Amino acid sequence: MGSYGLEKPIELQGVTAQLSHWISGLKLSDVPPAVLERAKYQLLDGVACALVGAHVPWSEKYVETTAEYEPPGGYSVIGWDKKFGPLAASMMNAAFIQGTELDDYHAAAPVHNSAIMLPTLIAATESLTRRPGYAPVKVTGRHFLLSTIVGFESSIRAGNGLYGNDMLARGWHCGAVYGAPGSAAAAAKLFQLDPTQTEDAIGIACTQACGLMAAQFGGMIKRVQHGFSTRNGLMGAFLARGHYEGLKSAFERPYGGFLAMFSSGNGKSPPYKEQAIVHKLGTHWETMHIRNKLYAAVGTSHGMIEILENMQAAHPERFALDQLPRISKIHAAQSYAGFHHDGWAPDIRPLSVTGAQLCAAYVMATQLVDREVLLAQYSHDQLDRDEVWDLVYKISCSHDPYFDPAERLSGARVTVTFDDGFVLEESLDSPRGYDPWVTNEQLVEKYRKLAASVLDPLRSREIEEAVLNMDALEDVTELFEVLAKPVGKCLT
C-alpha cells in the first residue's frame, strides 16, 4: 500500500481502514495549493445556494415544522435567527443548499458535496465550543478547509466504488448515500479523531445511509435528503469521538457491507469496486472534478438547455415566442442515468417545484418560453402556464449509450421538428459548468448575483471575503455569525 500522506507507509487489509488512516494523517501541506484554492470557491458556491435557499417556501415550511418537535439549541441555521441542536441545524442548512437546484455536483459519482460538508462542519465546529466537560476549542479556517476536502474526497470515492451514476439510474438518491461516509470523514477530521475512531464514525454513518430518488416526482422531501447524510455523518463522528464503537470494514464487508448491499442487483461484474475508494488517494484529487450549475435545474438537463439556447440564437425567427406553437415535436437523447432521472413524461399538471426542476421536458419548455432557467421560473404562479405546457406535451426523451460515460453524462442530442417539415438537430457532449468548468471568477460572479437577491451589499462582501480568505481565519465561527443573520426572500 502507499503512504497516503503519512510519514510511514501503512499495510492494511481493508479499504475502510486505509481511507481512515489517510483521513487521520492528512496535513494541509499534503494538499496541492490548487486544490485548497478550488475548495474555497466551492464553499463560496455552497454559501450562495444556502443564502438564496434559506427562505424559499419549502425551506420555511421545513424550519417551521421542525421547530414544532425539535427544541431550541445552540447551533447556527443559515439565514435565520433561530438555533437548534446540531443534527437538526445541519439538516436545515443542507436543505437550504439543495433547495434551489443550483448547487454543485460530481458527474461520475453524483453527490452535491457542499450541501453535505458545509452543514456538517458548521455543526461540528460549533460543538467544540460547547462540549460538556471540555474547554472550548477554536477551529481555524485552515483546519475547516482541510476537513472540507477530506469530506469531498471521501464521499466521491464511496460513489466510485459503486460505479458512480449507476446508483442514480437504479433509483437511489445516490448523493444521500455516498454523502454519509463523506460527512463522517469530514467531521472526524475536524475532531482530529485517530484512525480507529475515524473508521468507527464511517461505519456508523454507512449503516444509516439511504435516499430514494422517487422523491424527485413531487413533494418537498428531496430537498432534505442530503441532510440525511449530514445527520448520519455527524452522529457517527459524535459517537466515535466518545469512543462508541462502530462497525469495522464497513465498505468492503461481503455480508452486510456498504458496497455489497448497495450494489445488490446491479448486474455488474464485479458488482462493486472497493479499490476505487483508495485508488490514487492523495495524488488524484476528486475535489478538482466537482462541477457547478449555471441553471436552476437537474444537472443532467443542462446539455439540453444549452442546445436550445444555441438554436434560439442561431434561428431567432423560428424560436420567437409567437412561433413556438409551430413546433410539432422535440426529442432529446441522453444518458442512461439522465433518462431515468429526468427523462420521464409528467402525468400531472401542474408539477410541484421539485418535479418541475427535475423533469427534462418541463425544463426544456421553460427555456423555450422564457429563454432562461433560473429561480424565477419556479415561482408558483409560473408552474401552470399554457404556453409552457403546450410544449411539454410535445417533448420526449430516450436513452442513447453514447452519453453514458461520465464525461458526457450531462450531454444530449436534441431534435426539433416544425410543422413545415423543417428540422434542427444539435448534439453537445458536455454543457458549460462541466466542460468547460465554471472558473473561480465565474463562481464569484454567481455568488454575487445570488447574494444580491437576499443580502445588502456590505454583508454580501463580508461573507465573500471571509470565505475566500478562510485560510487566514483564526476562528471560523466568525463566518458563521454573519451567515446566521436573517436574509431576504428570492422566491414566493
PDB file of all heavy atoms in Angstrom, residues 97-133:
ATOM      1  N   ILE A  97     -29.165  24.502   0.934  1.00  0.00           N
ATOM      2  CA  ILE A  97     -28.210  24.441  -0.177  1.00  0.00           C
ATOM      3  C   ILE A  97     -28.799  23.646  -1.341  1.00  0.00           C
ATOM      4  O   ILE A  97     -28.613  24.005  -2.504  1.00  0.00           O
ATOM      5  CB  ILE A  97     -26.874  23.845   0.298  1.00  0.00           C
ATOM      6  CG1 ILE A  97     -26.240  24.737   1.374  1.00  0.00           C
ATOM      7  CG2 ILE A  97     -25.897  23.689  -0.878  1.00  0.00           C
ATOM      8  CD1 ILE A  97     -24.997  24.157   2.026  1.00  0.00           C
ATOM      9  N   GLN A  98     -29.523  22.588  -1.020  1.00  0.00           N
ATOM     10  CA  GLN A  98     -30.166  21.768  -2.052  1.00  0.00           C
ATOM     11  C   GLN A  98     -31.495  22.353  -2.520  1.00  0.00           C
ATOM     12  O   GLN A  98     -32.090  21.866  -3.477  1.00  0.00           O
ATOM     13  CB  GLN A  98     -30.421  20.368  -1.489  1.00  0.00           C
ATOM     14  CG  GLN A  98     -29.362  19.358  -1.851  1.00  0.00           C
ATOM     15  CD  GLN A  98     -29.669  18.670  -3.163  1.00  0.00           C
ATOM     16  OE1 GLN A  98     -30.417  17.709  -3.219  1.00  0.00           O
ATOM     17  NE2 GLN A  98     -29.093  19.173  -4.255  1.00  0.00           N
ATOM     18  N   GLY A  99     -31.930  23.412  -1.876  1.00  0.00           N
ATOM     19  CA  GLY A  99     -33.299  23.881  -2.042  1.00  0.00           C
ATOM     20  C   GLY A  99     -33.642  24.498  -3.372  1.00  0.00           C
ATOM     21  O   GLY A  99     -34.829  24.657  -3.686  1.00  0.00           O
ATOM     22  N   THR A 100     -32.651  24.871  -4.180  1.00  0.00           N
ATOM     23  CA  THR A 100     -32.957  25.576  -5.430  1.00  0.00           C
ATOM     24  C   THR A 100     -32.350  24.922  -6.668  1.00  0.00           C
ATOM     25  O   THR A 100     -32.411  25.484  -7.753  1.00  0.00           O
ATOM     26  CB  THR A 100     -32.458  27.030  -5.355  1.00  0.00           C
ATOM     27  OG1 THR A 100     -31.053  27.032  -5.078  1.00  0.00           O
ATOM     28  CG2 THR A 100     -33.187  27.798  -4.268  1.00  0.00           C
ATOM     29  N   GLU A 101     -31.747  23.742  -6.512  1.00  0.00           N
ATOM     30  CA  GLU A 101     -31.114  23.022  -7.638  1.00  0.00           C
ATOM     31  C   GLU A 101     -30.014  23.846  -8.308  1.00  0.00           C
ATOM     32  O   GLU A 101     -29.781  23.735  -9.512  1.00  0.00           O
ATOM     33  CB  GLU A 101     -32.162  22.604  -8.679  1.00  0.00           C
ATOM     34  CG  GLU A 101     -33.064  21.480  -8.235  1.00  0.00           C
ATOM     35  CD  GLU A 101     -32.335  20.175  -7.959  1.00  0.00           C
ATOM     36  OE1 GLU A 101     -31.372  19.859  -8.677  1.00  0.00           O
ATOM     37  OE2 GLU A 101     -32.730  19.474  -7.003  1.00  0.00           O
ATOM     38  N   LEU A 102     -29.324  24.644  -7.524  1.00  0.00           N
ATOM     39  CA  LEU A 102     -28.226  25.453  -8.058  1.00  0.00           C
ATOM     40  C   LEU A 102     -26.864  25.024  -7.520  1.00  0.00           C
ATOM     41  O   LEU A 102     -25.845  25.621  -7.873  1.00  0.00           O
ATOM     42  CB  LEU A 102     -28.445  26.933  -7.712  1.00  0.00           C
ATOM     43  CG  LEU A 102     -29.429  27.700  -8.601  1.00  0.00           C
ATOM     44  CD1 LEU A 102     -29.840  29.001  -7.942  1.00  0.00           C
ATOM     45  CD2 LEU A 102     -28.817  27.973  -9.972  1.00  0.00           C
ATOM     46  N   ASP A 103     -26.847  23.988  -6.683  1.00  0.00           N
ATOM     47  CA  ASP A 103     -25.599  23.628  -6.019  1.00  0.00           C
ATOM     48  C   ASP A 103     -24.752  22.686  -6.870  1.00  0.00           C
ATOM     49  O   ASP A 103     -25.183  22.188  -7.905  1.00  0.00           O
ATOM     50  CB  ASP A 103     -25.875  23.023  -4.641  1.00  0.00           C
ATOM     51  CG  ASP A 103     -26.842  21.850  -4.687  1.00  0.00           C
ATOM     52  OD1 ASP A 103     -27.726  21.833  -5.560  1.00  0.00           O
ATOM     53  OD2 ASP A 103     -26.731  20.948  -3.848  1.00  0.00           O
ATOM     54  N   ASP A 104     -23.541  22.442  -6.402  1.00  0.00           N
ATOM     55  CA  ASP A 104     -22.552  21.680  -7.163  1.00  0.00           C
ATOM     56  C   ASP A 104     -22.961  20.226  -7.359  1.00  0.00           C
ATOM     57  O   ASP A 104     -23.897  19.729  -6.731  1.00  0.00           O
ATOM     58  CB  ASP A 104     -21.188  21.750  -6.464  1.00  0.00           C
ATOM     59  CG  ASP A 104     -21.202  21.069  -5.092  1.00  0.00           C
ATOM     60  OD1 ASP A 104     -21.393  19.835  -5.025  1.00  0.00           O
ATOM     61  OD2 ASP A 104     -21.025  21.756  -4.071  1.00  0.00           O
ATOM     62  N   TYR A 105     -22.224  19.530  -8.216  1.00  0.00           N
ATOM     63  CA  TYR A 105     -22.449  18.105  -8.438  1.00  0.00           C
ATOM     64  C   TYR A 105     -21.158  17.474  -8.940  1.00  0.00           C
ATOM     65  O   TYR A 105     -20.246  18.159  -9.405  1.00  0.00           O
ATOM     66  CB  TYR A 105     -23.577  17.869  -9.442  1.00  0.00           C
ATOM     67  CG  TYR A 105     -23.256  18.309 -10.866  1.00  0.00           C
ATOM     68  CD1 TYR A 105     -22.864  17.380 -11.829  1.00  0.00           C
ATOM     69  CD2 TYR A 105     -23.335  19.654 -11.242  1.00  0.00           C
ATOM     70  CE1 TYR A 105     -22.552  17.791 -13.128  1.00  0.00           C
ATOM     71  CE2 TYR A 105     -23.036  20.064 -12.534  1.00  0.00           C
ATOM     72  CZ  TYR A 105     -22.650  19.128 -13.470  1.00  0.00           C
ATOM     73  OH  TYR A 105     -22.339  19.520 -14.743  1.00  0.00           O
ATOM     74  N   HIS A 106     -21.086  16.158  -8.844  1.00  0.00           N
ATOM     75  CA  HIS A 106     -19.972  15.391  -9.396  1.00  0.00           C
ATOM     76  C   HIS A 106     -20.581  14.414 -10.385  1.00  0.00           C
ATOM     77  O   HIS A 106     -21.407  13.583 -10.019  1.00  0.00           O
ATOM     78  CB  HIS A 106     -19.220  14.663  -8.285  1.00  0.00           C
ATOM     79  CG  HIS A 106     -17.930  14.037  -8.722  1.00  0.00           C
ATOM     80  ND1 HIS A 106     -17.876  12.842  -9.394  1.00  0.00           N
ATOM     81  CD2 HIS A 106     -16.642  14.450  -8.604  1.00  0.00           C
ATOM     82  CE1 HIS A 106     -16.608  12.533  -9.663  1.00  0.00           C
ATOM     83  NE2 HIS A 106     -15.838  13.500  -9.187  1.00  0.00           N
ATOM     84  N   ALA A 107     -20.194  14.480 -11.648  1.00  0.00           N
ATOM     85  CA  ALA A 107     -20.858  13.705 -12.690  1.00  0.00           C
ATOM     86  C   ALA A 107     -20.593  12.214 -12.572  1.00  0.00           C
ATOM     87  O   ALA A 107     -21.499  11.397 -12.774  1.00  0.00           O
ATOM     88  CB  ALA A 107     -20.438  14.216 -14.074  1.00  0.00           C
ATOM     89  N   ALA A 108     -19.365  11.833 -12.266  1.00  0.00           N
ATOM     90  CA  ALA A 108     -19.041  10.410 -12.229  1.00  0.00           C
ATOM     91  C   ALA A 108     -19.656   9.715 -11.019  1.00  0.00           C
ATOM     92  O   ALA A 108     -20.092   8.563 -11.103  1.00  0.00           O
ATOM     93  CB  ALA A 108     -17.525  10.220 -12.232  1.00  0.00           C
ATOM     94  N   ALA A 109     -19.668  10.391  -9.886  1.00  0.00           N
ATOM     95  CA  ALA A 109     -20.257   9.853  -8.662  1.00  0.00           C
ATOM     96  C   ALA A 109     -21.210  10.910  -8.126  1.00  0.00           C
ATOM     97  O   ALA A 109     -20.835  11.723  -7.273  1.00  0.00           O
ATOM     98  CB  ALA A 109     -19.179   9.520  -7.635  1.00  0.00           C
ATOM     99  N   PRO A 110     -22.441  10.957  -8.635  1.00  0.00           N
ATOM    100  CA  PRO A 110     -23.333  12.084  -8.337  1.00  0.00           C
ATOM    101  C   PRO A 110     -23.567  12.307  -6.846  1.00  0.00           C
ATOM    102  O   PRO A 110     -24.128  11.482  -6.142  1.00  0.00           O
ATOM    103  CB  PRO A 110     -24.632  11.689  -9.051  1.00  0.00           C
ATOM    104  CG  PRO A 110     -24.188  10.785 -10.158  1.00  0.00           C
ATOM    105  CD  PRO A 110     -23.032  10.013  -9.577  1.00  0.00           C
ATOM    106  N   VAL A 111     -23.100  13.444  -6.374  1.00  0.00           N
ATOM    107  CA  VAL A 111     -23.303  13.869  -4.992  1.00  0.00           C
ATOM    108  C   VAL A 111     -23.137  15.385  -4.975  1.00  0.00           C
ATOM    109  O   VAL A 111     -22.289  15.929  -5.689  1.00  0.00           O
ATOM    110  CB  VAL A 111     -22.308  13.171  -4.031  1.00  0.00           C
ATOM    111  CG1 VAL A 111     -20.879  13.404  -4.447  1.00  0.00           C
ATOM    112  CG2 VAL A 111     -22.521  13.597  -2.587  1.00  0.00           C
ATOM    113  N   HIS A 112     -23.967  16.048  -4.197  1.00  0.00           N
ATOM    114  CA  HIS A 112     -23.891  17.505  -4.042  1.00  0.00           C
ATOM    115  C   HIS A 112     -23.048  17.780  -2.797  1.00  0.00           C
ATOM    116  O   HIS A 112     -23.551  17.795  -1.678  1.00  0.00           O
ATOM    117  CB  HIS A 112     -25.291  18.096  -3.931  1.00  0.00           C
ATOM    118  CG  HIS A 112     -26.174  17.763  -5.096  1.00  0.00           C
ATOM    119  ND1 HIS A 112     -26.039  18.375  -6.323  1.00  0.00           N
ATOM    120  CD2 HIS A 112     -27.193  16.879  -5.224  1.00  0.00           C
ATOM    121  CE1 HIS A 112     -26.939  17.893  -7.158  1.00  0.00           C
ATOM    122  NE2 HIS A 112     -27.651  16.975  -6.511  1.00  0.00           N
ATOM    123  N   ASN A 113     -21.765  17.999  -3.014  1.00  0.00           N
ATOM    124  CA  ASN A 113     -20.819  17.954  -1.908  1.00  0.00           C
ATOM    125  C   ASN A 113     -20.971  19.086  -0.900  1.00  0.00           C
ATOM    126  O   ASN A 113     -20.919  18.860   0.313  1.00  0.00           O
ATOM    127  CB  ASN A 113     -19.392  17.931  -2.458  1.00  0.00           C
ATOM    128  CG  ASN A 113     -18.966  16.522  -2.826  1.00  0.00           C
ATOM    129  OD1 ASN A 113     -18.614  15.747  -1.960  1.00  0.00           O
ATOM    130  ND2 ASN A 113     -19.030  16.196  -4.103  1.00  0.00           N
ATOM    131  N   SER A 114     -21.134  20.320  -1.365  1.00  0.00           N
ATOM    132  CA  SER A 114     -21.220  21.425  -0.411  1.00  0.00           C
ATOM    133  C   SER A 114     -22.466  21.327   0.453  1.00  0.00           C
ATOM    134  O   SER A 114     -22.471  21.783   1.598  1.00  0.00           O
ATOM    135  CB  SER A 114     -21.190  22.767  -1.151  1.00  0.00           C
ATOM    136  OG  SER A 114     -19.916  22.984  -1.713  1.00  0.00           O
ATOM    137  N   ALA A 115     -23.530  20.726  -0.078  1.00  0.00           N
ATOM    138  CA  ALA A 115     -24.758  20.552   0.692  1.00  0.00           C
ATOM    139  C   ALA A 115     -24.562  19.604   1.863  1.00  0.00           C
ATOM    140  O   ALA A 115     -25.386  19.570   2.781  1.00  0.00           O
ATOM    141  CB  ALA A 115     -25.875  20.042  -0.212  1.00  0.00           C
ATOM    142  N   ILE A 116     -23.482  18.847   1.840  1.00  0.00           N
ATOM    143  CA  ILE A 116     -23.181  17.918   2.934  1.00  0.00           C
ATOM    144  C   ILE A 116     -22.072  18.460   3.820  1.00  0.00           C
ATOM    145  O   ILE A 116     -22.203  18.538   5.042  1.00  0.00           O
ATOM    146  CB  ILE A 116     -22.803  16.535   2.378  1.00  0.00           C
ATOM    147  CG1 ILE A 116     -23.981  15.943   1.599  1.00  0.00           C
ATOM    148  CG2 ILE A 116     -22.380  15.598   3.500  1.00  0.00           C
ATOM    149  CD1 ILE A 116     -23.627  14.726   0.776  1.00  0.00           C
ATOM    150  N   MET A 117     -20.967  18.861   3.219  1.00  0.00           N
ATOM    151  CA  MET A 117     -19.788  19.207   4.020  1.00  0.00           C
ATOM    152  C   MET A 117     -19.936  20.525   4.775  1.00  0.00           C
ATOM    153  O   MET A 117     -19.538  20.631   5.938  1.00  0.00           O
ATOM    154  CB  MET A 117     -18.538  19.245   3.146  1.00  0.00           C
ATOM    155  CG  MET A 117     -18.295  17.968   2.372  1.00  0.00           C
ATOM    156  SD  MET A 117     -18.571  16.442   3.315  1.00  0.00           S
ATOM    157  CE  MET A 117     -18.972  15.322   1.974  1.00  0.00           C
ATOM    158  N   LEU A 118     -20.493  21.525   4.146  1.00  0.00           N
ATOM    159  CA  LEU A 118     -20.647  22.812   4.827  1.00  0.00           C
ATOM    160  C   LEU A 118     -21.549  22.693   6.058  1.00  0.00           C
ATOM    161  O   LEU A 118     -21.156  23.106   7.164  1.00  0.00           O
ATOM    162  CB  LEU A 118     -21.162  23.869   3.850  1.00  0.00           C
ATOM    163  CG  LEU A 118     -21.303  25.294   4.380  1.00  0.00           C
ATOM    164  CD1 LEU A 118     -19.963  25.832   4.881  1.00  0.00           C
ATOM    165  CD2 LEU A 118     -21.871  26.218   3.291  1.00  0.00           C
ATOM    166  N   PRO A 119     -22.757  22.104   5.957  1.00  0.00           N
ATOM    167  CA  PRO A 119     -23.595  21.959   7.159  1.00  0.00           C
ATOM    168  C   PRO A 119     -22.960  21.054   8.221  1.00  0.00           C
ATOM    169  O   PRO A 119     -23.063  21.326   9.420  1.00  0.00           O
ATOM    170  CB  PRO A 119     -24.882  21.340   6.615  1.00  0.00           C
ATOM    171  CG  PRO A 119     -24.917  21.733   5.172  1.00  0.00           C
ATOM    172  CD  PRO A 119     -23.489  21.706   4.731  1.00  0.00           C
ATOM    173  N   THR A 120     -22.326  19.964   7.766  1.00  0.00           N
ATOM    174  CA  THR A 120     -21.667  19.060   8.708  1.00  0.00           C
ATOM    175  C   THR A 120     -20.624  19.803   9.528  1.00  0.00           C
ATOM    176  O   THR A 120     -20.582  19.703  10.766  1.00  0.00           O
ATOM    177  CB  THR A 120     -20.989  17.904   7.954  1.00  0.00           C
ATOM    178  OG1 THR A 120     -21.980  17.078   7.335  1.00  0.00           O
ATOM    179  CG2 THR A 120     -20.146  17.053   8.891  1.00  0.00           C
ATOM    180  N   LEU A 121     -19.784  20.558   8.852  1.00  0.00           N
ATOM    181  CA  LEU A 121     -18.642  21.167   9.523  1.00  0.00           C
ATOM    182  C   LEU A 121     -19.016  22.407  10.330  1.00  0.00           C
ATOM    183  O   LEU A 121     -18.344  22.731  11.315  1.00  0.00           O
ATOM    184  CB  LEU A 121     -17.554  21.482   8.507  1.00  0.00           C
ATOM    185  CG  LEU A 121     -16.909  20.221   7.914  1.00  0.00           C
ATOM    186  CD1 LEU A 121     -15.983  20.573   6.769  1.00  0.00           C
ATOM    187  CD2 LEU A 121     -16.167  19.435   8.987  1.00  0.00           C
ATOM    188  N   ILE A 122     -20.086  23.099   9.944  1.00  0.00           N
ATOM    189  CA  ILE A 122     -20.567  24.187  10.798  1.00  0.00           C
ATOM    190  C   ILE A 122     -20.996  23.622  12.150  1.00  0.00           C
ATOM    191  O   ILE A 122     -20.594  24.111  13.214  1.00  0.00           O
ATOM    192  CB  ILE A 122     -21.730  24.945  10.120  1.00  0.00           C
ATOM    193  CG1 ILE A 122     -21.217  25.755   8.922  1.00  0.00           C
ATOM    194  CG2 ILE A 122     -22.424  25.867  11.125  1.00  0.00           C
ATOM    195  CD1 ILE A 122     -22.311  26.428   8.118  1.00  0.00           C
ATOM    196  N   ALA A 123     -21.805  22.562  12.119  1.00  0.00           N
ATOM    197  CA  ALA A 123     -22.279  21.971  13.374  1.00  0.00           C
ATOM    198  C   ALA A 123     -21.137  21.341  14.166  1.00  0.00           C
ATOM    199  O   ALA A 123     -21.069  21.478  15.394  1.00  0.00           O
ATOM    200  CB  ALA A 123     -23.356  20.933  13.077  1.00  0.00           C
ATOM    201  N   ALA A 124     -20.227  20.645  13.474  1.00  0.00           N
ATOM    202  CA  ALA A 124     -19.106  20.014  14.169  1.00  0.00           C
ATOM    203  C   ALA A 124     -18.223  21.062  14.842  1.00  0.00           C
ATOM    204  O   ALA A 124     -17.781  20.889  15.989  1.00  0.00           O
ATOM    205  CB  ALA A 124     -18.290  19.177  13.184  1.00  0.00           C
ATOM    206  N   THR A 125     -17.973  22.153  14.140  1.00  0.00           N
ATOM    207  CA  THR A 125     -17.156  23.234  14.708  1.00  0.00           C
ATOM    208  C   THR A 125     -17.823  23.821  15.945  1.00  0.00           C
ATOM    209  O   THR A 125     -17.188  24.022  16.992  1.00  0.00           O
ATOM    210  CB  THR A 125     -16.935  24.335  13.659  1.00  0.00           C
ATOM    211  OG1 THR A 125     -16.219  23.791  12.545  1.00  0.00           O
ATOM    212  CG2 THR A 125     -16.150  25.488  14.235  1.00  0.00           C
ATOM    213  N   GLU A 126     -19.111  24.113  15.830  1.00  0.00           N
ATOM    214  CA  GLU A 126     -19.808  24.727  16.965  1.00  0.00           C
ATOM    215  C   GLU A 126     -19.879  23.779  18.157  1.00  0.00           C
ATOM    216  O   GLU A 126     -19.917  24.224  19.309  1.00  0.00           O
ATOM    217  CB  GLU A 126     -21.196  25.196  16.530  1.00  0.00           C
ATOM    218  CG  GLU A 126     -21.127  26.365  15.559  1.00  0.00           C
ATOM    219  CD  GLU A 126     -22.485  26.903  15.149  1.00  0.00           C
ATOM    220  OE1 GLU A 126     -23.451  26.110  15.059  1.00  0.00           O
ATOM    221  OE2 GLU A 126     -22.581  28.118  14.914  1.00  0.00           O
ATOM    222  N   SER A 127     -19.866  22.469  17.888  1.00  0.00           N
ATOM    223  CA  SER A 127     -19.908  21.516  19.006  1.00  0.00           C
ATOM    224  C   SER A 127     -18.653  21.598  19.867  1.00  0.00           C
ATOM    225  O   SER A 127     -18.688  21.280  21.060  1.00  0.00           O
ATOM    226  CB  SER A 127     -20.072  20.085  18.481  1.00  0.00           C
ATOM    227  OG  SER A 127     -18.852  19.558  17.981  1.00  0.00           O
ATOM    228  N   LEU A 128     -17.557  22.010  19.264  1.00  0.00           N
ATOM    229  CA  LEU A 128     -16.301  22.103  20.012  1.00  0.00           C
ATOM    230  C   LEU A 128     -16.279  23.292  20.972  1.00  0.00           C
ATOM    231  O   LEU A 128     -15.410  23.373  21.839  1.00  0.00           O
ATOM    232  CB  LEU A 128     -15.121  22.201  19.043  1.00  0.00           C
ATOM    233  CG  LEU A 128     -14.837  20.937  18.227  1.00  0.00           C
ATOM    234  CD1 LEU A 128     -13.767  21.195  17.183  1.00  0.00           C
ATOM    235  CD2 LEU A 128     -14.426  19.787  19.141  1.00  0.00           C
ATOM    236  N   THR A 129     -17.223  24.192  20.828  1.00  0.00           N
ATOM    237  CA  THR A 129     -17.296  25.341  21.736  1.00  0.00           C
ATOM    238  C   THR A 129     -18.220  25.077  22.916  1.00  0.00           C
ATOM    239  O   THR A 129     -18.291  25.902  23.835  1.00  0.00           O
ATOM    240  CB  THR A 129     -17.799  26.596  20.997  1.00  0.00           C
ATOM    241  OG1 THR A 129     -19.180  26.416  20.635  1.00  0.00           O
ATOM    242  CG2 THR A 129     -16.974  26.856  19.748  1.00  0.00           C
ATOM    243  N   ARG A 130     -18.924  23.941  22.916  1.00  0.00           N
ATOM    244  CA  ARG A 130     -19.913  23.700  23.971  1.00  0.00           C
ATOM    245  C   ARG A 130     -19.975  22.234  24.379  1.00  0.00           C
ATOM    246  O   ARG A 130     -21.018  21.750  24.823  1.00  0.00           O
ATOM    247  CB  ARG A 130     -21.292  24.178  23.506  1.00  0.00           C
ATOM    248  CG  ARG A 130     -21.719  23.629  22.142  1.00  0.00           C
ATOM    249  CD  ARG A 130     -23.131  24.093  21.752  1.00  0.00           C
ATOM    250  NE  ARG A 130     -23.258  25.529  21.800  1.00  0.00           N
ATOM    251  CZ  ARG A 130     -22.909  26.362  20.825  1.00  0.00           C
ATOM    252  NH1 ARG A 130     -22.418  25.871  19.700  1.00  0.00           N
ATOM    253  NH2 ARG A 130     -23.054  27.665  20.943  1.00  0.00           N
ATOM    254  N   ARG A 131     -18.868  21.517  24.264  1.00  0.00           N
ATOM    255  CA  ARG A 131     -18.866  20.114  24.660  1.00  0.00           C
ATOM    256  C   ARG A 131     -18.782  20.022  26.173  1.00  0.00           C
ATOM    257  O   ARG A 131     -17.826  20.516  26.787  1.00  0.00           O
ATOM    258  CB  ARG A 131     -17.692  19.381  24.018  1.00  0.00           C
ATOM    259  CG  ARG A 131     -17.714  17.871  24.241  1.00  0.00           C
ATOM    260  CD  ARG A 131     -16.509  17.198  23.611  1.00  0.00           C
ATOM    261  NE  ARG A 131     -16.565  15.762  23.811  1.00  0.00           N
ATOM    262  CZ  ARG A 131     -15.570  14.926  23.541  1.00  0.00           C
ATOM    263  NH1 ARG A 131     -14.422  15.413  23.049  1.00  0.00           N
ATOM    264  NH2 ARG A 131     -15.692  13.634  23.766  1.00  0.00           N
ATOM    265  N   PRO A 132     -19.761  19.388  26.814  1.00  0.00           N
ATOM    266  CA  PRO A 132     -19.770  19.323  28.278  1.00  0.00           C
ATOM    267  C   PRO A 132     -18.491  18.683  28.827  1.00  0.00           C
ATOM    268  O   PRO A 132     -18.047  17.633  28.370  1.00  0.00           O
ATOM    269  CB  PRO A 132     -20.993  18.447  28.577  1.00  0.00           C
ATOM    270  CG  PRO A 132     -21.881  18.613  27.384  1.00  0.00           C
ATOM    271  CD  PRO A 132     -20.949  18.752  26.224  1.00  0.00           C
ATOM    272  N   GLY A 133     -17.906  19.350  29.816  1.00  0.00           N
ATOM    273  CA  GLY A 133     -16.723  18.818  30.466  1.00  0.00           C
ATOM    274  C   GLY A 133     -15.417  19.121  29.761  1.00  0.00           C
ATOM    275  O   GLY A 133     -14.351  18.681  30.217  1.00  0.00           O
TER     276      GLY A 133
END
